[in-house]
Structure formats: structure tokens, C-alpha cells
């Protein structure tokens, strides 16, 4: 909606980048707060956080560029692939690559992989929540038009205003931000109460998969692929994987 936070001549600071920075700070704090649940040292937390940050940004950008390579003009202007500050990140791409890198690092360092993933869940949800606020301010990942009272209208003349015909749209980014903050609080409580190994990340996969499948029905910027959006297909896979893992860990693990 309002992508520019501050302009100084030709230099500008965008709200998307500001929210991403706030999300990183929140994730750092939460990972340090919950690290004892996985017996992680501060140094290990710092290393894991940097790995997740780099892999998350790279994966999110790769997924976006691949999905919109011709539509967004990356073929004609390959240098624009590097313009991450303008937005253009797909959460699932970052999540998948960061997850793989965290698993590989934990395996290499002989850490308990599922405990590590458990303590990362609140950090992921907090960072994702602030990231979605950044999406709202940036005008990306927008919702479809609506006549409901909660509909929001883009500033007249803006890119989003043109895309939506100046009509009210679902503030789906803010909805998902709120969902992530609620999940962050809930999973912090689970860890505090000594949740069984693997149950936090399992529950997150299943619950977020359900929420994302619903949120996609409110989106106005995605194409369908076999009657579902790509994000919904991934959401279905997360529900199946998370539900199966949760059943296994509740049956075979003891509380911390």
C-alpha cells in the first residue's frame, strides 16, 4: 500500500525491508529464549540463525523468480533478480531451503534435528508475521476484491490500485500476520511446558498448511494449477506430513 518508508534524494528505505529487519530481530530473540529446549548454545543459535536467514532469502527469491520469470521481466533484465528490497519473495521457497539447510547442519553437528526444528518454529512464525506486514505495506501478495466491511483500498494511482480497479480487497496479508503471531505465542507456551520432541514442528506444519489453504482462497494474485494454487498444493503436503509426524511423536516420545 505504502512501500516507501523514507526517501532521501535518490535513496529510499522500503517498509518491506524494515519489516524484514524487525522480523529478524524478533526471531533472534525468540530463538535465544527457547534454545534451552534443544540444548543449544548461544553460538550454535547464532550460526543456525544466519544459515536460516541466508537460505530463507535465497530460497524465497529463487522460488519467486522461477514462478514469475517471464511475467515480471526477469528474462529481459536479469540484474533485477537481485532487487530483493522491492519485494518478490515466496515464503514456501524460503521455508523449504532453510529447512533443508538446518537439517543438514544439525545432522553434521550431531544435534537433535527435531528439537532444533521445534525451537525454530516460534522464530519462523514471528519473522513470517512481520514479513506479511511488510507485504501489506509493499502492496504484494494482495487479496481479491470484497464487499465486506474489512476491505481495504489501495492508494489511488498506485500499482495495486490499478491491479484491483480501485476496489476494496481482502487484507489477507494482515490476516496471515495475525495468524502467525498467535501461532508464535501458542508454540512458545508448548515449549515452555516441555512439549514432546518433534510435536511442535509437526503441529506447525499441519496447522499452517490448513491456514494457508484457507488464506489462498482470499488471494487475488495467484493462478490455479489443477484447481488449486501452488501454495495450496504445498499446504496439503504440509498437512499430511505434519499430521503423520505429530501422530508418531505423540505415541513414541516423552515430554522434555
Amino acid at each position: 500500500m505504502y512501500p516507501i518508508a523514507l526517501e532521501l534524494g535518490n535513496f529510499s528505505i522500503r517498509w518491506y525491508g524494515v519489516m524484514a529487519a524487525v522480523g529478524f530481530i524478533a526471531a533472534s530473540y525468540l530463538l535465544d529464549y527457547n534454545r534451552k529446549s534443544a540444548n543449544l548454545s548461544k553460538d550454535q543459535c547464532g550460526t543456525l540463525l544466519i544459515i536460516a536467514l541466508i537460505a530463507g532469502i535465497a530460497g524465497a527469491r529463487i522460488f519467486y523468480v522461477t514462478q514469475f520469470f517471464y511475467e515480471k521481466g526477469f528474462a529481459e533484465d536479469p540484474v533485477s533478480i537481485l532487487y530483493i528490497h522491492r519485494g518478490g519473495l515466496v515464503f514456501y521457497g524460503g521455508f523449504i531451503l532453510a529447512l533443508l539447510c538446518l537439517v543438514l547442519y544439525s545432522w553434521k553437528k550431531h544435534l537433535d534435528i527435531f528439537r532444533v526444528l521445534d525451537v525454530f518454529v516460534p522464530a519462523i512464525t514471528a519473522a513470517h508475521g512481520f514479513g506479511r506486514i511488510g507485504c501489506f505495506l509493499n502492496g504484494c501478495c494482495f487479496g481479491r476484491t470484497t464487499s465486506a466491511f474489512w476491505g481495504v483500498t489501495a492508494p489511488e494511482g498506485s500499482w495495486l490500485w490499478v491491479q484491483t480497479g480501485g476496489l476494496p480487497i481482502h487484507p489477507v496479508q494482515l490476516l496471515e500476520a495475525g495468524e502467525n503471531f498467535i501461532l508464535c505465542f501458542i508454540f512458545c507456551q508448548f515449549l515452555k511446558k516441555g512439549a514432546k520432541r518433534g510435536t511442535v514442528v509437526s503441529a506447525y506444519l499441519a496447522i499452517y498448511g490448513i491456514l494457508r489453504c484457507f488464506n489462498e482462497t482470499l488471494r487475488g494474485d495467484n493462478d490455479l494449477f489443477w484447481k488449486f494454487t501452488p501454495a495450496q498444493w504445498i499446504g496439503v503436503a504440509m498437512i499430511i506430513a505434519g499430521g503423520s509426524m505429530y501422530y508418531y511423536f505423540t505415541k513414541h516420545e516423552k515430554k522434555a
Side-chain angles (χ1 to χ4, degrees):
M1 295 288 187
Y2 301 96
I4 306 299
L6 178 65
E7 281 188 301
L8 297 173
N10 294 326
F11 177 77
S12 63
I13 297 176
R14 301 176 72 92
W15 278 116
Y16 192 90
V18 173
M19 288 297 104
V22 173
F24 177 75
I25 293 170
S28 301
Y29 169 79
L30 287 166
L31 188 59
D32 183 65
Y33 179 79
N34 293 309
R35 64 182 175 82
K36 292 182 179 179
S37 295
N39 295 318
L40 294 174
S41 67
K42 284 184 174 292
D43 288 342
Q44 287 172 326
C45 277
T47 301
L48 287 165
L49 190 63
I50 295 300
I51 290 172
L53 174 66
I54 295 173
I57 294 175
R61 188 60 173 177
I62 290 170
F63 202 100
Y64 180 85
V65 170
T66 302
Q67 187 174 354
F68 300 105
F69 187 72
Y70 294 103
E71 182 180 342
K72 299 295 184 180
F74 296 119
E76 292 77 19
D77 184 18
V79 177
S80 63
I81 293 174
L82 303 176
Y83 297 162
I84 298 176
H85 61 285
R86 295 181 180 177
L89 302 175
V90 176
F91 169 74
Y92 276 139
F95 176 77
I96 292 170
L97 186 57
L99 178 66
L100 290 174
C101 290
L102 289 176
V103 168
L104 288 173
Y105 178 84
S106 299
W107 173 74
K108 184 177 180 180
K109 297 297 182 180
H110 306 291
L111 301 175
D112 189 322
I113 293 173
F114 287 104
R115 281 293 184 199
V116 170
L117 296 180
D118 282 341
V119 300
F120 253 91
V121 166
I124 291 171
T125 51
H128 194 188
F130 284 111
R132 282 306 187 202
I133 295 175
C135 289
F136 177 78
L137 295 171
N138 193 55
C140 58
C141 307
F142 56 90
R144 57 182 172 83
T145 57
T146 179
S147 58
F149 70 89
W150 56 73
V152 296
T153 305
E156 186 173 353
S158 66
W159 175 86
L160 183 56
W161 186 85
V162 174
Q163 293 294 311
T164 58
L167 298 173
I169 57 176
H170 288 287
V172 66
Q173 310 98 318
L174 299 183
L175 171 64
E176 191 161 345
E179 292 168 348
N180 273 286
F181 291 142
I182 292 172
L183 290 179
C184 178
F185 175 79
I186 291 173
F187 289 130
C188 277
Q189 296 305 307
F190 280 7
L191 290 171
K192 186 177 180 180
K193 294 179 180 179
K196 292 182 178 181
R197 171 180 176 268
T199 55
V200 172
V201 67
S202 302
Y204 166 71
L205 290 174
I207 294 172
Y208 181 73
I210 293 170
L211 293 174
R212 187 59 185 268
C213 284
F214 168 74
N215 293 342
E216 285 293 300
T217 65
L218 305 179
R219 289 279 288 268
D221 64 335
N222 279 333
D223 296 323
L224 296 181
F225 180 71
W226 288 354
K227 297 185 178 182
F228 293 101
T229 68
Q232 285 176 317
W233 281 114
I234 297 175
V236 169
M238 289 177 69
I239 294 168
I240 296 172
S244 301
M245 289 167 56
Y246 188 83
Y247 177 81
Y248 173 83
F249 286 120
T250 52
K251 293 293 183 181
H252 295 87
E253 295 290 334
K254 297 180 180 180
K255 291 189 71 173

